[in-house]
Every structure is written in structure tokens, then in C-alpha cells.
Amino acid sequence: MRKILKLIRKLTIVFLLLTSFSSFNYAQNKTFIVSYGANDAPPYAIVKKDKLFAGIIKDIFDAIVKDLDIKVKYVQTPRKRAEIYLASGKINAIAISNPQWLHQSNMYQWSDAIFVEKDLLVTLIKHQKKITKIAEMTNMIIGTTRGYKYPTLTKAFSDKRILRSDATNIAANFARLKLARIDGFIDSNILIKHHLTNLTLQHDTPKKIFQIEPIIISEHFIHTALSSNSPVSASQFNNALHKLKKNGTIHAILKKYGV
């Protein structure tokens, strides 16, 4: 009986070792396909010659795949198709996401929070009245990002109390606001800060034309959404993420881009 129990233990250990080795090899032989969108403007994604060249997304994910010893491929995906591609396994991850933004968030694996982002409202400086709450945005035409969900404004948009006007990215919304085609626009504090610092205008500096209103439209954690067939599991991703947070890598990357 003892011999049989010893044999069972040995076989169990061998099975676990083979399973671990198989999983390790599977991850090594696969490529981690990470999606970013046209809406992920600098400093999230800096693109040159149609390839992701630098930015917060590339720097963070390069560090994560280096820790996991797996290859990575970055793919630009239209925002409206990103979830379809994630569900089908065409991509393995949406780099910048949140469970509230996807229609079937319970279908996917989710990373722990990577950092915090705020959605803010930008208007023209000549707009004198400061906006501190959503009710004060009534009848305004607000620039938004195509395919993006705004949970705190869903009802106001649906009731037409606030008029939604989509654009591809933040640069388009800055241009439309300058021409007064919209009354203001909503975007990430990270993108707004970067564009106000780097935007080039004739005659005037951006800070003489645009202002950030006091209202915070929403404040949320940024996560990565992982497909069910991703070669990197949520636990593997989170283990690497925690290491990079602990050793200061994530902080250094965010600081590098002024976050």
C-alpha cells in the first residue's frame, strides 16, 4: 500500500512538472498581441511609419513581456472593433481599458489597476462661466471620442440634454473647439496635459485659447483586458505588474511622460 502511495505521489509531481513546463513552453512559443487605438494619442502611443515607436503603452508592455520572457506584437485596432477582436482571439489584450467600457467585460480576464486616469472637460477661455457639475453642461455640444463610453453622461446623452459629437481623437477635438464647432470636449487628463504642452498654434499659445474646467467627468482605474485564449494569463500579467510597480519601473515610465 505504501509503495502504491509513493508511486501516486511521484506521478503527481511528474504531472505537475510536465504541466508547468508545457505552459511555459506554450507561452514562450506564442506571441502576445496587444491592441492600441487611434484614440490612444501621445503620450499613450507614439506612432512612426505606422508602427508603435514609443509611449506609455509600449514602455509598460515591453517591460511586462521582458519579465515574462514572451514575444509581443502591437496592433492598431479601431476602437469599435477592439472588443470583437478580443472576443474572437484575434488580439490578446486591449492595453488601455476598464470593465465599464466593454459590453461583455465578464467574458475577459482583467489585470489589476495599472494607474488612475481622469476624464476632464476642455472649453475655450472666452467661456466665462466655470462648470462644476454635469447639470451646468445642459444644451452644450460636447466633443467625444468615437466608440468610447461615458458612464456618468450616458443618461444626459440619451435624453439629449447634452449633445454628443464624436471625433476620432483628441487632436480633432482641439481643432473643432478652436473653430467653435463644439462647446467643449471630454478626454483624459493625461492626453489633455500632453497636448496643451505640445500643441503648436499660430499667433497664440494653447493656454491662451483653451481652459480645463473644474468638473471631473469621471475618475477611473486603467486596466488591461485579456482574452480567454491569451498566452499571458491575468495572474502572470499581474505578477509581472506588481514586480514593476515595486521596483519603480511603472512610476518611472509614467514620470517620463509627465504623468
Side-chain angles (χ1 to χ4, degrees), residues 149-220:
K149 290 171 71 176
Y150 301 86
T152 59
L153 295 176
T154 300
K155 185 163 174 45
F157 284 146
S158 177
D159 295 344
K160 306 294 183 184
R161 284 183 285 116
I162 300 172
L163 303 177
R164 175 173 181 158
S165 177
D166 282 352
T168 307
N169 53 40
I170 190 170
N173 274 327
F174 264 115
R176 294 196 301 159
L177 181 57
K178 185 174 182 290
L179 296 171
R181 291 177 180 169
I182 52 177
D183 298 314
F185 71 84
I186 299 165
D187 218 311
S188 154
N189 60 314
I190 294 169
L191 297 182
I192 291 168
K193 181 181 177 182
H194 179 86
H195 277 71
L196 284 176
T197 303
N198 295 282
L199 198 63
T200 302
L201 297 172
Q202 289 183 333
H203 308 303
D204 285 310
T205 62
K207 290 180 181 178
K208 288 183 179 179
I209 298 175
F210 306 109
Q211 64 183 351
I212 300 171
E213 296 288 350
I215 188 173
I216 296 174
I217 302 298
S218 66
E219 186 170 1
H220 42 262

Side-chain angles (χ1 to χ4, degrees), residues 34-36 40 57 61 93-97 111 114 222-225 237:
V34 177
S35 167
Y36 67 97
D40 293 318
I57 291 172
F61 278 80
I94 299 176
I96 302 293
S97 193
S111 77
I114 305 173
I222 293 299
H223 301 261
T224 290
F237 188 99

Side-chain angles (χ1 to χ4, degrees), residues 31-38 40 45 47 50-52 57 72-79 82 85 90-95:
T31 298
F32 188 35
I33 304 172
V34 177
S35 167
Y36 67 97
D40 293 318
V47 178
D50 297 326
K51 287 187 178 181
L52 188 62
I57 291 172
V72 66
K73 180 180 179 181
Y74 298 104
V75 178
Q76 190 178 74
T77 309
R79 190 175 193 99
Y85 290 171
K90 189 172 182 177
I91 58 173
N92 302 134
I94 299 176

Side-chain angles (χ1 to χ4, degrees), residues 30-123:
K30 295 284 284 184
T31 298
F32 188 35
I33 304 172
V34 177
S35 167
Y36 67 97
N39 54 290
D40 293 318
Y44 280 140
I46 298 169
V47 178
K48 287 188 178 180
K49 295 181 180 179
D50 297 326
K51 287 187 178 181
L52 188 62
F53 175 77
I56 292 171
I57 291 172
K58 188 174 190 303
D59 286 8
I60 287 178
F61 278 80
D62 278 357
I64 284 174
V65 297
K66 183 179 179 181
D67 182 83
L68 295 173
D69 193 23
I70 187 172
K71 295 175 183 177
V72 66
K73 180 180 179 181
Y74 298 104
V75 178
Q76 190 178 74
T77 309
R79 190 175 193 99
K80 284 188 174 181
R81 295 181 189 173
E83 186 171 358
I84 296 170
Y85 290 171
L86 188 69
S88 68
K90 189 172 182 177
I91 58 173
N92 302 134
I94 299 176
I96 302 293
S97 193
N98 182 287
Q100 291 187 64
W101 301 347
L102 301 187
H103 296 288
Q104 296 178 303
S105 59
N106 60 334
M107 285 180 57
Y108 316 116
Q109 305 176 75
W110 288 93
S111 77
D112 291 338
I114 305 173
F115 55 90
V116 177
E117 182 187 69
K118 296 177 184 178
D119 275 347
L120 304 178
L121 175 65
V122 178
T123 61

